[in-house]
Amino acid sequence: MKKFVKLSAVLAAITLALAFTGCSSDDDDDEDELSAVTSAQQLKFQTGTYSFAIAATSTEEIGIIEITEKGTVMITGTSADSTVATNTESSTAKITAKNKEYYDSLKEEFGEEDKESVYTYNDTDLVITAAAKPSSPENETYAKFTQEFFPKNEISSDEQIIYTGIEVKQNSDGSKITASYTETDSWTDEDGKKQTSVYKYSIVLEKK
């Protein structure tokens, strides 16, 4: 699911410096109840266009990051090699610093030219908002697209990305699919200190 969030590259530096709670859109009163899905092969996406909405939140000792993203997914077919095109219409990150020193350091860092995002600053509330500029649709195979609903842990000598609490649901015909999980990033900084950031993701896709 990480591929959806186009601001991930922009926020990488923030994540290191800082050291989708996913709201489920499942409505208990829905006529077509959502059921749990345990593998990519069980997903029932239909051919056509889905809208998607993503929320991701990370609360750290010196700041809060809130990412929201909306767009569409065009599915040409459901065979493994069919094309899926993701078009992100809006992608925004809101960074709320808990002290002015950190806010000023971020503001200085983001003062450098960034061709992918537009930044706005609220000096009173210590809030920085980064809005990604429009980009071209991202194409991939249906097999890869569906597998991203079940992200795999990434472990290397200097970094670990661990996914827990992965929960994927869909209604009977696959016209609505939701997913949520917690991503824990751990690494060693330049001073040799162990750092950890935790992101909670929530994703909703609905057939248009």
Side-chain angles (χ1 to χ4, degrees):
M1 219 75 62
K2 249 177 130 178
K3 85 170 200 58
F4 280 116
V5 183
K6 301 297 188 288
L7 281 173
S8 58
V10 177
L11 291 173
I14 301 174
T15 304
L16 291 172
L18 282 172
F20 286 112
T21 303
C23 347
S24 172
S25 287
D26 309 357
D27 198 341
D28 292 338
D29 296 327
D30 282 351
E31 293 181 5
D32 192 356
E33 185 177 352
L34 299 177
S35 300
V37 178
T38 58
S39 71
Q41 291 70 33
Q42 293 178 340
L43 288 168
K44 299 178 181 179
F45 278 108
Q46 302 177 19
T47 298
T49 302
Y50 284 76
S51 62
F52 73 82
I54 298 175
T57 304
S58 180
T59 302
E60 307 292 345
E61 182 179 350
I62 53 178
I64 300 172
I65 300 174
E66 300 168 275
I67 301 172
T68 56
E69 184 166 308
K70 294 182 179 181
T72 59
V73 174
M74 173 69 76
I75 300 174
T76 62
T78 55
S79 61
D81 58 354
S82 297
T83 300
V84 176
T86 300
N87 183 33
T88 303
E89 297 168 355
S90 65
S91 186
T92 303
K94 177 183 176 183
I95 306 102
T96 304
K98 292 187 178 179
N99 62 67
K100 192 170 187 305
E101 181 181 2
Y102 185 67
Y103 172 80
D104 289 340
S105 69
L106 285 179
K107 190 173 180 179
E108 181 178 354
E109 180 179 351
F110 295 147
E112 300 178 4
E113 182 180 2
D114 179 357
K115 296 181 179 179
E116 295 182 356
S117 301
V118 176
Y119 294 92
T120 56
Y121 305 94
N122 182 329
D123 295 340
T124 301
D125 297 326
L126 306 183
V127 174
I128 298 174
T129 303
K133 296 179 181 179
S135 59
S136 301
E138 194 170 306
N139 298 318
E140 62 185 335
T141 64
Y142 180 79
K144 183 178 179 181
F145 170 74
T146 53
Q147 188 57 54
E148 287 169 351
F149 284 79
F150 298 89
K152 297 184 181 300
N153 297 338
E154 303 172 32
I155 301 175
S156 65
S157 59
D158 57 355
E159 183 180 14
Q160 291 187 349
I161 302 176
I162 306 297
Y163 299 97
T164 55
I166 299 172
E167 185 177 77
V168 182
K169 295 181 178 181
Q170 66 184 356
N171 59 4
S172 60
D173 63 0
S175 61
K176 180 176 182 179
I177 294 175
T178 69
S180 61
Y181 61 86
T182 298
E183 175 189 330
T184 302
D185 298 348
S186 303
W187 70 95
T188 302
D189 65 18
E190 294 179 354
D191 297 328
K193 296 180 180 179
K194 299 289 186 180
Q195 304 285 3
T196 300
S197 284
V198 179
Y199 288 85
K200 295 184 178 181
Y201 281 83
S202 173
I203 301 96
V204 179
L205 294 95
E206 292 189 85
K207 184 77 182 294
K208 298 182 74 173

